[in-house]
Structures are given as C-alpha cells and as structure tokens.
Amino acid sequence: MNVPVSITQFAKQAKSLPLNKIIKSQDFKIKHLSEDALISEADEIITPSNFGTELDYLTRFVMLADDHAFDLANIELKRYLDHGLITPAEFIRVINKEEKLGRLTENISEVDDIPDKVFRLALDICAWEVAFRTNKYIKPTVYPDSVTIRHMKVMMKRIENFFISLAGQQGMHLLLQPRMDTFLVMVIIC
C-alpha cells in the first residue's frame, strides 16, 4: 500500500476535499465535562503520544472493524525487514501479534470487555507506526497499566458516544453491522 500524502498535505488541497462530507465547526456543540470526568495524563505511564496513537488504532481496529488499521505499521515493518534491520522471525512475531489481537477482540461487544492484554499487544504494533512517522523504531519498554487502560476505555466510550450523538444531530442514521459481536459504525447522510 502506498501512502500518497500526509493528512496535512491532503487538507491543504481544498478543492479535493468533499465539502458535503465535512462537518462544519458551527455544527459542533461545546460540552463541558464535570471535574470528575477529566482524565489526568499524569496518572498514565505511557506518553501522551503513544496513548493517542494506541487509542486511534484500537478505535479503528476494535470499534470500527477496520482491517487496514495496521497498514502504516506494516509498511514500516516490511521496510525494516527489506533492509535487514529486523530478522524474518521478528517480522513474523509482530504479524502474529496482529493476528492474536484480532482473535482477542473478535467477540468483544462492550469496551469494558476488552482484555488488558489487547492494550499491551496494540502498543507493540503501534511502535511500528511511530517508526513510520519518525523513521526510527523504538521498542516499547513501558506498557499500559490498569489506570492507563481504564483511561483508554473511557476515551473509547466517549468516541463511541460521539459517533452516536453526531449521527442524531446531523439527521444521519447509524447502520450497525456486526463483526462477530462488535459493531461497525457506518454513518449515512440523509
């Protein structure tokens, strides 16, 4: 898979953006969270960057059933293999982690049901996406603890609620397609 441009480069090409698919800023509503709803990153043991990358991956892979969620990580993994920077055994080990992640999440129907092991496996895979962006692979040495995992699950629930509320505000319908016991959320504009 070739990645033609970055999202920043794509966004700068205004004429190529589908205007009817863009959510206008005035359509967003400010929602203030209560003090107890705020999540302190100081309590988390992985970096905010790794937290965000892993949250993105897990949202796409688990909640949206995106089979291409790991494409960027796999591009970098393959590049390292092609240049002899990792062994074929290391390459297979990461691919096996992706397959294991799929097996662990295929029967998940609620965010709270995601096993802790998923968050550790996902961080190993996300490190390859970080390598794609930075041109340097750094093996994770610190993995999400119970507090970090709890925060990530809260954020995944908020993302799920955002999609559901957005569909209602925009006069859209949510079409939930089962992927085993998870759901692929498709927003259909009416």
Side-chain angles (χ1 to χ4, degrees):
M1 167 188 223
N2 290 332
V3 179
V5 292
S6 72
I7 190 69
T8 305
Q9 291 168 329
F10 181 76
K12 287 180 180 177
Q13 300 170 358
K15 291 184 180 182
S16 66
L17 297 173
L19 296 178
N20 62 338
K21 307 271 186 205
I22 295 175
I23 302 168
K24 296 179 180 103
S25 61
Q26 64 262 27
D27 291 337
F28 285 94
K29 305 282 187 271
I30 296 175
K31 183 175 181 180
H32 296 282
L33 298 174
S34 62
E35 276 300 313
D36 61 334
L38 297 177
I39 295 175
S40 172
E41 67 184 49
D43 299 335
E44 299 163 359
I45 63 170
I46 62 174
T47 66
S49 176
N50 283 344
F51 184 97
T53 301
E54 184 170 353
L55 179 64
D56 173 49
Y57 268 78
L58 288 175
T59 299
R60 289 187 287 132
F61 187 73
V62 177
M63 296 173 66
L64 301 177
D66 181 359
D67 293 329
H68 299 285
F70 300 120
D71 283 355
L72 285 181
N74 289 337
I75 289 169
E76 191 65 8
L77 182 65
K78 178 77 166 80
R79 189 178 74 78
Y80 267 61
L81 177 66
D82 291 345
H83 288 89
L85 300 171
I86 61 171
T87 66
E90 290 170 299
F91 178 86
I92 298 290
R93 196 170 17 259
V94 175
I95 297 301
N96 287 342
K97 286 180 181 182
E98 290 177 17
E99 291 170 0
K100 186 173 187 175
L101 189 65
R103 288 190 305 275
L104 285 170
T105 60
E106 69 185 355
N107 293 317
I108 299 295
S109 59
E110 297 290 328
V111 170
D112 286 331
D113 296 337
I114 300 172
D116 290 357
K117 188 171 195 162
V118 165
F119 295 90
R120 291 176 184 87
L121 286 169
L123 188 62
D124 282 336
I125 299 165
C126 290
W128 288 101
E129 194 269 338
V130 172
F132 180 87
R133 289 186 282 120
T134 62
N135 253 347
K136 183 178 181 184
Y137 172 74
I138 300 172
K139 183 178 178 159
T141 56
V142 178
Y143 289 88
D145 62 354
S146 60
V147 172
T148 306
I149 290 170
R150 187 174 66 247
H151 289 180
M152 205 163 296
K153 286 180 178 182
V154 166
M155 294 303 294
M156 290 176 79
K157 288 178 192 174
R158 289 179 183 175
I159 292 166
E160 183 178 47
N161 289 334
F162 169 78
F163 281 125
I164 291 168
S165 67
L166 176 68
Q169 290 173 8
Q170 298 292 318
M172 301 174 190
H173 296 288
L174 285 180
L175 176 62
L176 299 176
Q177 292 186 334
R179 174 192 175 212
M180 297 297 190
D181 289 333
T182 62
F183 294 97
L184 169 63
V185 178
M186 297 175 65
V187 178
I188 302 183
I189 301 173
C190 299

Coordinates of all heavy atoms in Angstrom, one line a residue, residues 52-122:
G52 N -2.4 8.4 22.5 CA -3.2 8.8 21.3 C -3.1 7.9 20.1 O -4.1 7.5 19.5
T53 N -1.9 7.4 19.8 CA -1.7 6.5 18.7 C -2.4 5.2 19.0 O -3.1 4.7 18.1 CB -0.2 6.3 18.5 OG1 0.4 7.5 18.2 CG2 0.0 5.3 17.3
E54 N -2.2 4.7 20.2 CA -2.9 3.4 20.5 C -4.4 3.6 20.6 O -5.1 2.7 20.1 CB -2.4 2.9 21.9 CG -2.9 1.5 22.2 CD -2.3 0.9 23.4 OE1 -1.3 1.4 24.0 OE2 -2.8 -0.1 23.8
L55 N -4.9 4.7 21.1 CA -6.3 4.9 21.1 C -6.9 4.9 19.7 O -7.9 4.3 19.4 CB -6.6 6.2 21.8 CG -8.1 6.6 21.9 CD1 -8.9 5.6 22.7 CD2 -8.2 8.0 22.5
D56 N -6.2 5.6 18.8 CA -6.6 5.6 17.4 C -6.6 4.2 16.8 O -7.6 3.8 16.1 CB -5.6 6.5 16.6 CG -5.9 6.5 15.1 OD1 -7.0 6.7 14.7 OD2 -4.9 6.3 14.3
Y57 N -5.6 3.5 17.0 CA -5.5 2.1 16.4 C -6.6 1.2 17.0 O -7.3 0.5 16.2 CB -4.2 1.4 16.8 CG -3.2 1.7 15.7 CD1 -2.5 2.9 15.5 CD2 -2.9 0.6 14.8 CE1 -1.5 3.0 14.6 CE2 -1.9 0.8 13.8 CZ -1.3 2.0 13.7 OH -0.3 2.2 12.7
L58 N -6.8 1.3 18.3 CA -7.9 0.4 18.9 C -9.3 0.8 18.5 O -10.1 0.0 18.3 CB -7.7 0.4 20.4 CG -6.5 -0.4 20.9 CD1 -6.3 -0.3 22.4 CD2 -6.6 -1.9 20.5
T59 N -9.5 2.1 18.3 CA -10.8 2.6 17.9 C -11.1 2.1 16.5 O -12.1 1.6 16.2 CB -10.8 4.2 17.9 OG1 -10.6 4.6 19.2 CG2 -12.1 4.7 17.4
R60 N -10.1 2.2 15.6 CA -10.3 1.8 14.2 C -10.4 0.2 14.1 O -11.3 -0.3 13.5 CB -9.2 2.3 13.3 CG -9.4 3.8 13.1 CD -8.4 4.3 12.0 NE -7.0 4.3 12.6 CZ -6.0 3.9 11.9 NH1 -6.1 3.3 10.8 NH2 -4.8 4.0 12.5
F61 N -9.5 -0.5 14.9 CA -9.5 -1.9 14.7 C -10.6 -2.6 15.5 O -11.3 -3.5 14.9 CB -8.1 -2.4 15.3 CG -7.9 -3.9 15.0 CD1 -7.7 -4.4 13.7 CD2 -8.0 -4.8 16.1 CE1 -7.5 -5.7 13.5 CE2 -7.8 -6.2 15.9 CZ -7.6 -6.6 14.6
V62 N -10.9 -2.2 16.7 CA -11.9 -2.9 17.5 C -13.3 -2.4 17.3 O -14.2 -3.1 17.0 CB -11.5 -2.8 19.0 CG1 -12.6 -3.4 19.9 CG2 -10.2 -3.4 19.3
M63 N -13.4 -1.0 17.4 CA -14.8 -0.5 17.3 C -15.3 -0.3 15.9 O -16.5 -0.5 15.6 CB -14.8 0.9 18.0 CG -14.5 0.8 19.5 SD -14.3 2.4 20.2 CE -15.9 3.1 20.1
L64 N -14.4 0.0 14.9 CA -14.8 0.2 13.5 C -14.5 -1.0 12.7 O -14.8 -1.0 11.5 CB -14.2 1.5 13.0 CG -14.6 2.7 13.7 CD1 -13.8 3.9 13.1 CD2 -16.1 3.0 13.7
A65 N -13.9 -2.0 13.2 CA -13.6 -3.3 12.5 C -12.8 -3.0 11.2 O -13.0 -3.5 10.1 CB -14.9 -4.1 12.2
D66 N -11.9 -2.0 11.3 CA -11.1 -1.6 10.1 C -9.9 -2.6 9.9 O -9.0 -2.7 10.7 CB -10.5 -0.2 10.4 CG -9.7 0.3 9.2 OD1 -9.5 -0.4 8.2 OD2 -9.2 1.5 9.4
D67 N -10.0 -3.4 8.9 CA -9.0 -4.4 8.6 C -7.7 -3.8 8.1 O -6.7 -4.4 8.0 CB -9.5 -5.4 7.5 CG -10.6 -6.2 8.0 OD1 -10.6 -6.5 9.3 OD2 -11.5 -6.6 7.2
H68 N -7.7 -2.5 7.8 CA -6.5 -1.8 7.3 C -5.9 -0.9 8.4 O -5.0 0.0 8.1 CB -6.8 -0.9 6.1 CG -7.3 -1.8 5.0 ND1 -6.5 -2.5 4.2 CD2 -8.5 -2.0 4.5 CE1 -7.2 -3.2 3.3 NE2 -8.4 -2.9 3.5
A69 N -6.3 -1.0 9.7 CA -5.9 -0.2 10.8 C -4.3 -0.2 10.9 O -3.7 0.8 11.3 CB -6.5 -0.6 12.1
F70 N -3.7 -1.4 10.6 CA -2.3 -1.5 10.9 C -1.4 -1.3 9.6 O -0.3 -1.7 9.6 CB -2.0 -2.9 11.5 CG -2.7 -3.1 12.8 CD1 -3.6 -4.1 12.9 CD2 -2.4 -2.3 13.9 CE1 -4.2 -4.3 14.2 CE2 -3.1 -2.4 15.1 CZ -4.0 -3.5 15.2
D71 N -2.0 -0.8 8.5 CA -1.3 -0.7 7.3 C 0.0 0.1 7.4 O 1.1 -0.3 6.9 CB -2.2 -0.1 6.2 CG -3.1 -1.1 5.6 OD1 -3.1 -2.3 6.0 OD2 -4.0 -0.7 4.8
L72 N 0.0 1.3 8.1 CA 1.2 2.1 8.2 C 2.3 1.3 9.0 O 3.4 1.4 8.6 CB 0.9 3.4 8.8 CG 0.2 4.5 7.9 CD1 0.0 5.8 8.7 CD2 1.0 4.7 6.7
A73 N 1.8 0.7 10.1 CA 2.8 -0.1 10.9 C 3.4 -1.2 10.0 O 4.6 -1.4 10.1 CB 2.1 -0.6 12.1
N74 N 2.6 -1.8 9.2 CA 3.1 -2.9 8.4 C 4.0 -2.5 7.3 O 4.9 -3.2 6.9 CB 1.9 -3.8 7.9 CG 1.2 -4.5 9.0 OD1 1.8 -4.8 10.0 ND2 0.0 -4.9 8.7
I75 N 3.7 -1.3 6.8 CA 4.6 -0.7 5.8 C 6.0 -0.6 6.3 O 7.0 -0.9 5.7 CB 4.1 0.6 5.2 CG1 2.9 0.4 4.3 CG2 5.2 1.4 4.4 CD1 2.1 1.7 4.0
E76 N 6.1 0.0 7.5 CA 7.4 0.2 8.2 C 8.1 -1.1 8.6 O 9.3 -1.3 8.4 CB 7.3 1.2 9.4 CG 8.6 1.7 9.9 CD 9.3 2.6 8.9 OE1 8.8 2.9 7.9 OE2 10.5 2.9 9.2
L77 N 7.3 -2.0 9.1 CA 7.8 -3.3 9.5 C 8.4 -4.0 8.3 O 9.5 -4.5 8.3 CB 6.6 -4.1 10.0 CG 6.9 -5.5 10.5 CD1 7.9 -5.5 11.8 CD2 5.6 -6.2 10.9
K78 N 7.7 -3.9 7.1 CA 8.2 -4.6 5.9 C 9.5 -3.9 5.4 O 10.4 -4.5 5.0 CB 7.1 -4.5 4.8 CG 7.5 -5.1 3.5 CD 7.5 -6.6 3.5 CE 7.6 -7.2 2.1 NZ 8.9 -7.2 1.5
R79 N 9.5 -2.5 5.5 CA 10.7 -1.8 5.1 C 11.9 -2.2 6.0 O 13.0 -2.4 5.5 CB 10.5 -0.3 5.3 CG 11.6 0.6 4.7 CD 11.3 2.1 4.8 NE 11.4 2.6 6.1 CZ 12.6 2.9 6.7 NH1 13.7 2.7 6.0 NH2 12.6 3.3 7.9
Y80 N 11.7 -2.4 7.3 CA 12.8 -2.8 8.2 C 13.3 -4.2 7.8 O 14.5 -4.5 7.8 CB 12.4 -2.8 9.6 CG 12.7 -1.5 10.4 CD1 12.1 -0.3 9.9 CD2 13.5 -1.5 11.5 CE1 12.4 0.9 10.6 CE2 13.8 -0.4 12.1 CZ 13.3 0.9 11.7 OH 13.6 2.0 12.4
L81 N 12.3 -5.1 7.4 CA 12.7 -6.4 7.0 C 13.5 -6.4 5.7 O 14.5 -7.0 5.6 CB 11.4 -7.3 6.8 CG 11.6 -8.7 6.3 CD1 12.4 -9.5 7.3 CD2 10.3 -9.3 6.0
D82 N 13.0 -5.6 4.7 CA 13.7 -5.5 3.4 C 15.1 -5.0 3.5 O 16.0 -5.3 2.7 CB 12.9 -4.6 2.5 CG 11.5 -5.3 2.1 OD1 11.4 -6.5 2.3 OD2 10.7 -4.5 1.5
H83 N 15.3 -4.1 4.5 CA 16.7 -3.5 4.7 C 17.5 -4.3 5.7 O 18.6 -3.9 6.0 CB 16.5 -2.0 5.1 CG 16.1 -1.1 4.1 ND1 14.7 -0.9 3.8 CD2 16.7 -0.4 3.1 CE1 14.6 -0.1 2.8 NE2 15.8 0.2 2.4
G84 N 17.0 -5.4 6.1 CA 17.8 -6.3 7.0 C 17.9 -5.7 8.4 O 18.8 -6.1 9.2
L85 N 17.0 -4.8 8.8 CA 17.1 -4.2 10.1 C 16.4 -5.1 11.2 O 16.6 -4.9 12.4 CB 16.5 -2.8 10.1 CG 17.2 -1.8 9.2 CD1 16.4 -0.5 9.0 CD2 18.6 -1.5 9.6
I86 N 15.6 -6.0 10.7 CA 15.0 -7.0 11.6 C 15.0 -8.3 10.9 O 15.2 -8.4 9.7 CB 13.5 -6.7 12.0 CG1 12.6 -6.6 10.7 CG2 13.4 -5.4 12.8 CD1 11.1 -6.5 11.0
T87 N 15.0 -9.4 11.7 CA 15.0 -10.7 11.1 C 13.6 -11.1 10.7 O 12.6 -10.6 11.1 CB 15.5 -11.7 12.1 OG1 14.5 -11.8 13.2 CG2 16.9 -11.3 12.7
P88 N 13.5 -12.1 9.8 CA 12.2 -12.7 9.4 C 11.4 -13.1 10.6 O 10.2 -13.0 10.7 CB 12.5 -13.8 8.5 CG 13.8 -13.4 7.9 CD 14.6 -12.7 9.0
A89 N 12.1 -13.7 11.6 CA 11.4 -14.2 12.8 C 10.8 -13.0 13.6 O 9.7 -13.1 14.1 CB 12.4 -14.9 13.8
E90 N 11.5 -11.8 13.6 CA 10.9 -10.7 14.3 C 9.7 -10.1 13.5 O 8.7 -9.7 14.1 CB 12.0 -9.6 14.4 CG 13.1 -9.9 15.4 CD 14.2 -8.9 15.4 OE1 14.8 -8.8 14.3 OE2 14.4 -8.2 16.4
F91 N 9.8 -10.2 12.2 CA 8.7 -9.8 11.3 C 7.5 -10.6 11.6 O 6.4 -10.1 11.9 CB 9.1 -9.9 9.9 CG 8.0 -9.5 8.9 CD1 7.8 -8.2 8.5 CD2 7.2 -10.5 8.3 CE1 6.8 -7.9 7.6 CE2 6.2 -10.2 7.4 CZ 6.0 -8.8 7.1
I92 N 7.7 -12.0 11.6 CA 6.6 -12.9 11.9 C 6.0 -12.7 13.3 O 4.8 -12.8 13.5 CB 7.1 -14.4 11.8 CG1 7.5 -14.6 10.3 CG2 6.0 -15.4 12.2 CD1 6.4 -14.7 9.3
R93 N 6.8 -12.4 14.3 CA 6.4 -12.2 15.6 C 5.4 -11.0 15.7 O 4.4 -11.1 16.4 CB 7.6 -11.9 16.6 CG 7.3 -12.0 18.0 CD 8.5 -12.0 19.0 NE 9.7 -11.5 18.5 CZ 10.8 -12.3 18.1 NH1 10.7 -13.6 18.1 NH2 11.9 -11.8 17.7
V94 N 5.7 -9.9 15.0 CA 4.7 -8.8 15.0 C 3.4 -9.1 14.3 O 2.4 -8.8 14.7 CB 5.4 -7.5 14.4 CG1 4.4 -6.4 14.3 CG2 6.6 -7.1 15.2
I95 N 3.5 -9.8 13.1 CA 2.3 -10.2 12.4 C 1.5 -11.1 13.3 O 0.3 -11.0 13.3 CB 2.7 -10.9 11.1 CG1 3.5 -9.9 10.1 CG2 1.5 -11.4 10.4 CD1 2.7 -8.6 9.8
N96 N 2.1 -12.0 14.0 CA 1.4 -12.9 14.9 C 0.7 -12.1 16.0 O -0.4 -12.5 16.4 CB 2.3 -13.9 15.5 CG 2.7 -15.0 14.5 OD1 2.1 -15.2 13.5 ND2 3.8 -15.7 14.8
K97 N 1.3 -11.0 16.5 CA 0.7 -10.2 17.5 C -0.6 -9.5 16.9 O -1.6 -9.4 17.6 CB 1.6 -9.1 18.0 CG 2.7 -9.6 18.9 CD 3.6 -8.6 19.4 CE 4.7 -9.2 20.3 NZ 5.6 -8.2 20.8
E98 N -0.5 -9.1 15.6 CA -1.7 -8.5 15.0 C -2.8 -9.6 14.9 O -4.0 -9.3 15.2 CB -1.4 -8.0 13.6 CG -0.5 -6.8 13.6 CD -0.1 -6.3 12.2 OE1 -0.8 -6.7 11.2 OE2 0.8 -5.5 12.1
E99 N -2.5 -10.8 14.5 CA -3.5 -11.9 14.4 C -4.0 -12.2 15.8 O -5.2 -12.4 15.9 CB -2.9 -13.1 13.7 CG -2.6 -12.9 12.3 CD -1.7 -14.0 11.6 OE1 -1.4 -14.9 12.3 OE2 -1.5 -13.8 10.4
K100 N -3.2 -12.2 16.8 CA -3.6 -12.5 18.2 C -4.6 -11.4 18.6 O -5.6 -11.7 19.3 CB -2.4 -12.6 19.1 CG -2.8 -13.1 20.5 CD -1.6 -13.4 21.3 CE -2.0 -14.0 22.7 NZ -0.8 -14.4 23.4
L101 N -4.2 -10.2 18.3 CA -5.1 -9.0 18.7 C -6.5 -9.2 18.0 O -7.5 -9.0 18.7 CB -4.4 -7.7 18.2 CG -5.1 -6.4 18.7 CD1 -5.0 -6.3 20.2 CD2 -4.4 -5.3 18.0
G102 N -6.5 -9.7 16.8 CA -7.8 -9.9 16.1 C -8.6 -11.0 16.8 O -9.8 -10.8 17.0
R103 N -7.9 -12.1 17.2 CA -8.6 -13.2 17.9 C -9.1 -12.7 19.3 O -10.2 -13.1 19.7 CB -7.7 -14.4 18.1 CG -7.5 -15.1 16.8 CD -6.7 -16.4 17.0 NE -5.5 -16.4 17.7 CZ -4.3 -16.1 17.2 NH1 -4.2 -15.9 15.9 NH2 -3.2 -16.0 18.0
L104 N -8.4 -11.9 20.0 CA -8.8 -11.5 21.3 C -9.9 -10.5 21.3 O -10.7 -10.4 22.2 CB -7.6 -10.8 22.0 CG -6.5 -11.7 22.6 CD1 -5.3 -10.9 23.0 CD2 -7.0 -12.5 23.7
T105 N -10.1 -9.8 20.1 CA -11.1 -8.8 20.1 C -12.3 -9.2 19.2 O -13.3 -8.4 19.2 CB -10.6 -7.4 19.5 OG1 -10.0 -7.7 18.2 CG2 -9.5 -6.9 20.5
E106 N -12.3 -10.3 18.6 CA -13.4 -10.6 17.6 C -14.7 -10.9 18.3 O -15.8 -10.7 17.6 CB -13.0 -11.8 16.7 CG -12.9 -13.2 17.4 CD -12.4 -14.3 16.5 OE1 -12.2 -14.0 15.3 OE2 -12.2 -15.4 17.1
N107 N -14.8 -11.2 19.5 CA -16.1 -11.5 20.2 C -16.4 -10.4 21.2 O -17.2 -10.6 22.1 CB -16.1 -12.8 20.9 CG -16.0 -13.9 19.8 OD1 -16.7 -13.9 18.8 ND2 -15.2 -14.9 20.1
I108 N -15.8 -9.2 21.1 CA -16.0 -8.2 22.1 C -17.2 -7.4 21.7 O -17.4 -7.0 20.5 CB -14.8 -7.2 22.1 CG1 -13.5 -7.9 22.5 CG2 -15.0 -6.0 23.0 CD1 -13.5 -8.5 23.9
S109 N -18.1 -7.2 22.6 CA -19.3 -6.4 22.3 C -19.4 -5.1 23.1 O -20.1 -4.2 22.8 CB -20.6 -7.2 22.6 OG -20.6 -7.6 23.9
E110 N -18.6 -5.0 24.2 CA -18.5 -3.8 25.0 C -17.1 -3.4 25.2 O -16.2 -4.3 25.4 CB -19.2 -4.1 26.4 CG -20.7 -4.4 26.3 CD -21.5 -3.2 25.9 OE1 -21.1 -2.1 26.3 OE2 -22.6 -3.4 25.3
V111 N -16.8 -2.1 25.3 CA -15.5 -1.6 25.5 C -14.9 -2.2 26.8 O -13.7 -2.6 26.9 CB -15.4 -0.1 25.5 CG1 -14.1 0.4 26.0 CG2 -15.8 0.5 24.1
D112 N -15.7 -2.3 27.8 CA -15.2 -2.8 29.1 C -14.8 -4.3 29.1 O -14.1 -4.7 29.9 CB -16.3 -2.6 30.2 CG -16.5 -1.2 30.6 OD1 -15.5 -0.5 30.6 OD2 -17.6 -0.8 31.0
D113 N -15.2 -5.0 28.0 CA -14.9 -6.4 27.9 C -13.5 -6.6 27.2 O -13.0 -7.7 27.1 CB -15.9 -7.1 27.1 CG -17.3 -7.2 27.8 OD1 -17.3 -7.0 29.0 OD2 -18.3 -7.3 27.1
I114 N -12.9 -5.5 26.8 CA -11.6 -5.7 26.1 C -10.5 -6.1 27.1 O -10.3 -5.4 28.1 CB -11.1 -4.4 25.4 CG1 -12.2 -3.9 24.4 CG2 -9.7 -4.5 24.8 CD1 -11.9 -2.5 23.8
P115 N -9.9 -7.2 26.9 CA -8.9 -7.7 27.9 C -7.6 -6.8 27.9 O -7.3 -6.2 26.9 CB -8.5 -9.1 27.4 CG -9.3 -9.4 26.2 CD -10.0 -8.2 25.8
D116 N -7.0 -6.7 29.1 CA -5.8 -5.9 29.3 C -4.7 -6.2 28.3 O -4.0 -5.4 27.8 CB -5.3 -6.0 30.7 CG -6.2 -5.3 31.7 OD1 -7.3 -4.7 31.3 OD2 -5.9 -5.4 32.9
K117 N -4.6 -7.5 27.9 CA -3.6 -8.0 27.0 C -3.7 -7.3 25.7 O -2.6 -7.0 25.0 CB -3.7 -9.5 26.9 CG -2.6 -10.1 26.1 CD -2.6 -11.6 26.2 CE -1.3 -12.1 25.7 NZ -1.1 -13.5 26.1
V118 N -4.9 -6.9 25.2 CA -5.0 -6.2 24.0 C -4.3 -4.9 24.0 O -3.6 -4.5 23.0 CB -6.6 -5.9 23.7 CG1 -6.8 -4.9 22.6 CG2 -7.3 -7.3 23.4
F119 N -4.3 -4.2 25.1 CA -3.6 -2.9 25.1 C -2.1 -3.0 25.1 O -1.4 -2.2 24.5 CB -4.1 -2.1 26.4 CG -5.5 -1.8 26.4 CD1 -6.5 -2.7 26.9 CD2 -6.0 -0.6 25.8 CE1 -7.8 -2.4 26.9 CE2 -7.3 -0.3 25.7 CZ -8.3 -1.2 26.3
R120 N -1.6 -4.1 25.6 CA -0.1 -4.3 25.6 C 0.3 -4.7 24.1 O 1.3 -4.3 23.6 CB 0.2 -5.4 26.6 CG 0.1 -4.9 28.0 CD 0.4 -5.9 29.1 NE 0.1 -5.4 30.4 CZ -1.1 -5.4 31.0 NH1 -2.1 -5.9 30.4 NH2 -1.2 -4.9 32.2
L121 N -0.5 -5.6 23.5 CA -0.2 -6.0 22.1 C -0.3 -4.8 21.2 O 0.5 -4.7 20.3 CB -1.2 -7.1 21.7 CG -1.0 -8.5 22.2 CD1 -2.2 -9.4 21.9 CD2 0.3 -9.1 21.7
A122 N -1.3 -4.0 21.4 CA -1.5 -2.9 20.5 C -0.4 -1.9 20.6 O 0.1 -1.3 19.5 CB -2.8 -2.2 20.8

